[in-house]
Amino acid sequence: MVTLSDVARAANVSKMTVSRVINHPEQVTPELRSLVESAMATLNYHPNSIAQALVNNRTNVVKFVTLEDIDTTEPYYMNLLFGVAKGLTKKQYAFQLVTDPEQIEAGRSDGYIITGARSSDYDMFDQLDKPFILFGENHRGFDFVDTDNQLGVKMATEYALSRLYKNIIFIGIDLKEPFEYSREAGYINTLQKNQLIPKIFRIGNHSHAAQDLIKEHFKEFKKDTCFICASDRIALGVERQLAEEGAKVPDDFGVIGFDGVFLDQVANPKLTTIRQSIFEMGELLATMLLQKIAQSGSPQGEVLIKPTLIRRGSTR
Amino acid sequence: MVTLSDVARAANVSKMTVSRVINHPEQVTPELRSLVESAMATLNYHPNSIAQALVNNRTNVVKFVTLEDIDTTEPYYMNLLFGVAKGLTKKQYAFQLVTDPEQIEAGRSDGYIITGARSSDYDMFDQLDKPFILFGENHRGFDFVDTDNQLGVKMATEYALSRLYKNIIFIGIDLKEPFEYSREAGYINTLQKNQLIPKIFRIGNHSHAAQDLIKEHFKEFKKDTCFICASDRIALGVERQLAEEGAKVPDDFGVIGFDGVFLDQVANPKLTTIRQSIFEMGELLATMLLQKIAQSGSPQGEVLIKPTLIRRGSTR
DNA sequence: TTGTAAGCGTTATCAA
DNA sequence: TTGATAACGCTTACAA
């Protein structure tokens, strides 16, 4: 293993000069700096992050906390995780996965990335003594990253109108959470702007719940209706039950999902959906958290990422 | 932060005695040991794993390497990852995710858990200088954990026979890899034992490839046929195209999948499938790797985990 | 601007 | 069996 001392010896300087070239290059004269830099290059030196961690009282580990049940966990979390991992690896950070809220503060870490948080979890967050960033919008002032939910549903709704569907129905998730309110707002605002009356159903985020809903209300739905769904999972159920009822998708009925990571491709026909940039959000979460750690906890703000409309066979 | 010295002071012994109580308790007299232990308890002492890592020249990090494309990555990897995480966290280990084979040795780690390996990757593994365990069987002597693929398909085939399907067809994945050979062997052996002639199709692991296959050959399939599929993804496509053809599932045609983590529930009707204990295998992978690291690389062997038959609506 | 010395929390070595 | 000391690789504080 090549150490600081090896580089120092090769460059004929002290360890501190090498350390400074790494951490505070501006404090070193250009000549020495380039001398040290070439020594580092020829020796292929990489700082030992464990030694750095020890002296800086860091662990180089952050926890990825999933407060949702794994079983209900959307497959798209995989992408989020890979994004987070990419952002962390850049700074030689590793992570641990936590599913039990009790275990958040167990063991060692420098901070937390928290997903699946509900309003009821907020009080617990106030108790945390290490920096954290939430994945998912909130109105309590916690730093977060999320898709621009309102914009996403607005895009979906406008697209449905542009495809000349006459009736636009929103099928949301029956949770009193900010992301759901934002999605509904995107729908409601767009309908009102077009002098249409909003019609919202709210169900659990399961395809079978969506099937049940369509089954129960199918007679009420006229041709030229488009269903804007709060998740691909719901859209999948809607599409399936419409087929079951013998309804023509996309000609008579349109279906638009939300997420666009995995389930949209499983559906038949494939779903028109609002794709979230999950991987990129993961990377951003990591970057923000590491920055927050480096700045000893200073606020990083709230970031909304613009989603993308993917046009597929479930709309005409 | 409570340190070794704090405990030593509280217990009126030297730091080394405390260290020994942690690492080599048999070298300490019972009296001193209990003295130290109660001091650790009252102070709520936890060893600083970073300091341990530094002095032991360890990183407390392992890499989780995914050689498959993320896009084709099955959602069940999420479960594997949570299992791995659980196994690692027990020993205060964290992990990094690696998708680029070039990056396996970049940065710091104590070892690797490798998934999605193909035979063509084996030569690269010979070059690795740190311990690793594969997720997936291989015949090159590398330590691995996998489902007992042969047994799984045997269970599926026997179940199909017991449900009185007359024709049993296997739809495999067109890869020349050990797991596929094992699955086919489970099928072939069971058919031969029952004096039946095996019939195998091999396709890419995609639902649409399965749909194409069924569409093309549907006329050849008689009633009372059960399709044993090498993955739920394939089974999903088979089921979907059978529906498209107007065939009755499960009465006239049976479909059995393999994996049993997520897609089996998305299917309609839900799939009878061979469920792999993915989470448990992840935990085992971690345990084995940490043991291998502790034993400076000694072989851990090959472990086959018994899968479970889940009976659902896609068989009668 | 550069170097020296001390220390982060732990464990191995060797002496008592 | 127990303890003093040095060492792991790095950075901060201070001195030159």
Side-chain angles (χ1 to χ4, degrees):
Chain A
M1 159 174 286
V2 182
T3 73
L4 209 64
S5 306
D6 297 326
V7 177
R9 202 172 312 119
N12 246 309
V13 297
S14 75
K15 292 198 307 183
M16 269 319 297
T17 304
V18 181
S19 176
R20 284 197 186 94
V21 169
I22 296 166
N23 300 300
H24 312 283
E26 73 286 355
Q27 300 181 5
V28 180
T29 54
E31 303 80 56
L32 271 190
R33 197 189 312 161
S34 63
L35 200 63
V36 169
E37 274 162 354
S38 65
M40 295 198 299
T42 55
L43 292 177
N44 191 26
Y45 168 75
H46 294 284
N48 182 329
S49 50
I50 291 292
Q52 291 177 317
L54 179 63
V55 69
N56 293 325
N57 195 22
R58 291 269 165 69
T59 63
N60 280 20
V61 168
V62 306
K63 301 211 180 197
F64 184 94
V65 182
T66 313
L67 294 174
E68 278 178 297
D69 193 5
I70 301 190
D71 291 337
T72 66
T73 291
E74 297 285 345
Y76 74 60
Y77 267 122
M78 195 72 189
N79 284 271
L80 186 69
L81 220 41
F82 275 90
V84 167
K86 185 181 177 196
L88 292 179
T89 303
K90 275 190 252 164
K91 302 278 187 197
Q92 291 281 7
Y93 261 71
F95 63 98
Q96 293 184 324
L97 255 33
V98 179
T99 50
D100 178 2
E102 301 286 306
Q103 294 298 310
I104 293 180
E105 301 194 273
R108 272 161 215 290
S109 74
D110 296 340
Y112 317 104
I113 290 171
I114 303 177
T115 75
R118 300 278 176 252
S119 308
S120 55
D121 299 314
Y122 292 172
D123 288 343
M124 169 180 58
F125 300 158
D126 286 325
Q127 310 298 326
L128 296 177
D129 57 348
K130 289 187 193 122
F132 63 93
I133 310 273
L134 299 189
F135 175 58
E137 50 178 302
N138 71 86
H139 302 322
R140 266 281 276 276
F142 300 129
D143 296 335
F144 74 78
V145 174
D146 200 347
T147 294
D148 190 331
N149 289 298
Q150 182 166 349
L151 174 61
V153 174
K154 173 167 179 268
M155 290 160 65
T157 310
E158 284 176 348
Y159 180 68
L161 288 168
S162 79
R163 304 312 295 164
L164 303 179
Y165 288 103
K166 298 281 180 298
N167 313 291
I168 316 284
I169 294 177
F170 185 80
I171 305 182
I173 299 171
D174 58 356
L175 286 173
K176 297 185 191 308
E177 298 292 339
F179 79 89
E180 175 64 20
Y181 290 140
S182 295
R183 292 184 190 177
E184 292 184 10
Y187 165 75
I188 294 172
N189 292 348
T190 308
L191 281 211
Q192 290 180 338
K193 205 185 300 169
N194 289 273
Q195 271 112 41
L196 293 170
I197 313 289
K199 171 75 180 165
I200 297 182
F201 292 95
R202 295 187 189 85
I203 58 176
N205 188 20
H206 301 287
S207 60
H208 64 79
Q211 282 194 253
D212 293 348
L213 178 81
I214 298 296
K215 189 174 206 168
E216 190 184 336
H217 293 269
F218 184 70
K219 282 177 235 102
E220 308 166 21
F221 303 139
K222 307 185 191 115
K223 280 188 178 185
D224 284 322
T225 292
C226 185
F227 298 93
I228 311 288
C229 307
S231 75
D232 285 344
R233 201 175 270 225
I234 289 176
L236 191 71
V238 169
E239 205 182 51
R240 183 176 289 158
Q241 190 61 30
L242 285 174
E244 205 96 332
E245 305 285 351
K248 287 207 175 77
V249 174
D251 293 337
D252 295 339
F253 295 90
V255 182
I256 303 183
F258 201 107
D259 284 344
V261 175
F262 181 84
L263 283 174
D264 56 327
Q265 318 244 20
V266 169
N268 187 31
K270 290 184 177 172
L271 289 172
T272 291
T273 190
I274 300 298
R275 174 181 290 161
Q276 307 191 56
S277 300
I278 302 284
F279 185 92
E280 290 71 19
M281 289 196 281
E283 202 174 342
L284 186 58
L285 279 167
T287 311
M288 283 173 66
L289 180 58
L290 294 185
Q291 181 126 156
K292 191 167 183 176
I293 291 168
Q295 298 173 354
S296 43
S298 67
Q300 302 295 309
E302 320 189 325
V303 184
L304 289 177
I305 304 292
K306 188 181 169 188
T308 319
L309 172 73
I310 308 291
R311 303 158 196 216
R312 295 240 198 65
S314 68
T315 48
R316 63 196 177 195
Chain B
M1 159 175 288
V2 183
T3 73
L4 209 62
S5 307
D6 298 326
V7 178
R9 201 173 312 118
N12 245 308
V13 295
S14 75
K15 293 197 304 184
M16 271 317 297
T17 302
V18 181
S19 175
R20 283 197 187 94
V21 169
I22 296 166
N23 300 298
H24 313 283
E26 73 286 355
Q27 300 181 6
V28 180
T29 55
E31 302 79 57
L32 271 190
R33 198 189 309 161
S34 63
L35 199 66
V36 169
E37 275 162 354
S38 65
M40 293 198 299
T42 55
L43 291 177
N44 191 27
Y45 168 76
H46 294 286
N48 181 330
S49 51
I50 290 292
Q52 292 177 315
L54 178 63
V55 70
N56 293 325
N57 195 24
R58 290 269 165 71
T59 63
N60 280 18
V61 169
V62 305
K63 301 210 181 195
F64 184 94
V65 182
T66 312
L67 294 174
E68 279 177 298
D69 195 4
I70 303 190
D71 291 338
T72 68
T73 292
E74 297 286 345
Y76 73 61
Y77 266 121
M78 195 71 191
N79 283 270
L80 186 69
L81 222 41
F82 275 91
V84 167
K86 186 181 176 196
L88 292 179
T89 304
K90 276 189 249 165
K91 302 277 186 195
Q92 291 282 1
Y93 261 71
F95 64 98
Q96 293 185 323
L97 255 33
V98 180
T99 50
D100 178 1
E102 302 284 307
Q103 296 297 310
I104 293 180
E105 302 194 273
R108 273 162 215 289
S109 75
D110 296 338
Y112 317 105
I113 290 171
I114 304 178
T115 76
R118 299 282 176 248
S119 307
S120 56
D121 298 314
Y122 292 172
D123 288 344
M124 168 180 59
F125 299 158
D126 286 324
Q127 310 297 326
L128 295 177
D129 57 348
K130 287 183 195 128
F132 62 94
I133 310 273
L134 300 190
F135 175 59
E137 48 178 303
N138 69 87
H139 302 322
R140 267 281 277 276
F142 299 128
D143 296 335
F144 73 77
V145 174
D146 200 347
T147 294
D148 191 333
N149 289 297
Q150 182 166 347
L151 174 62
V153 173
K154 175 170 178 267
M155 290 160 65
T157 309
E158 285 176 347
Y159 181 67
L161 288 168
S162 80
R163 303 313 293 165
L164 304 180
Y165 289 103
K166 296 284 178 296
N167 313 291
I168 316 285
I169 294 177
F170 185 81
I171 305 184
I173 299 172
D174 60 353
L175 285 174
K176 296 184 192 307
E177 298 292 339
F179 78 90
E180 174 63 20
Y181 290 140
S182 295
R183 293 184 190 177
E184 292 183 10
Y187 165 74
I188 294 172
N189 293 348
T190 307
L191 281 209
Q192 289 179 340
K193 204 185 299 168
N194 289 274
Q195 272 109 40
L196 293 170
I197 312 290
K199 171 76 180 166
I200 297 182
F201 292 95
R202 295 186 188 85
I203 57 176
N205 187 20
H206 301 287
S207 62
H208 64 79
Q211 283 195 251
D212 293 347
L213 178 81
I214 298 296
K215 189 174 206 167
E216 190 183 335
H217 294 268
F218 183 69
K219 281 178 234 102
E220 307 165 23
F221 303 140
K222 309 188 189 106
K223 280 187 177 183
D224 283 322
T225 292
C226 186
F227 298 93
I228 312 288
C229 306
S231 76
D232 285 344
R233 202 175 270 224
I234 288 175
L236 191 73
V238 169
E239 203 182 54
R240 184 176 289 160
Q241 189 62 32
L242 285 174
E244 204 95 334
E245 304 285 350
K248 286 207 176 78
V249 173
D251 293 337
D252 296 339
F253 295 90
V255 182
I256 303 183
F258 200 106
D259 284 343
V261 175
F262 182 84
L263 283 174
D264 57 327
Q265 318 242 23
V266 169
N268 187 35
K270 289 183 179 175
L271 289 172
T272 291
T273 190
I274 301 299
R275 175 183 289 163
Q276 308 190 58
S277 300
I278 302 285
F279 185 91
E280 289 72 18
M281 290 195 280
E283 202 173 345
L284 186 58
L285 279 168
T287 310
M288 284 174 66
L289 180 59
L290 293 185
Q291 181 125 156
K292 191 169 184 176
I293 291 168
Q295 298 174 353
S296 45
S298 68
Q300 303 295 308
E302 318 188 327
V303 184
L304 289 178
I305 304 292
K306 188 182 169 186
T308 318
L309 172 73
I310 307 291
R311 302 156 197 218
R312 295 239 199 64
S314 68
T315 48
R316 63 194 176 195

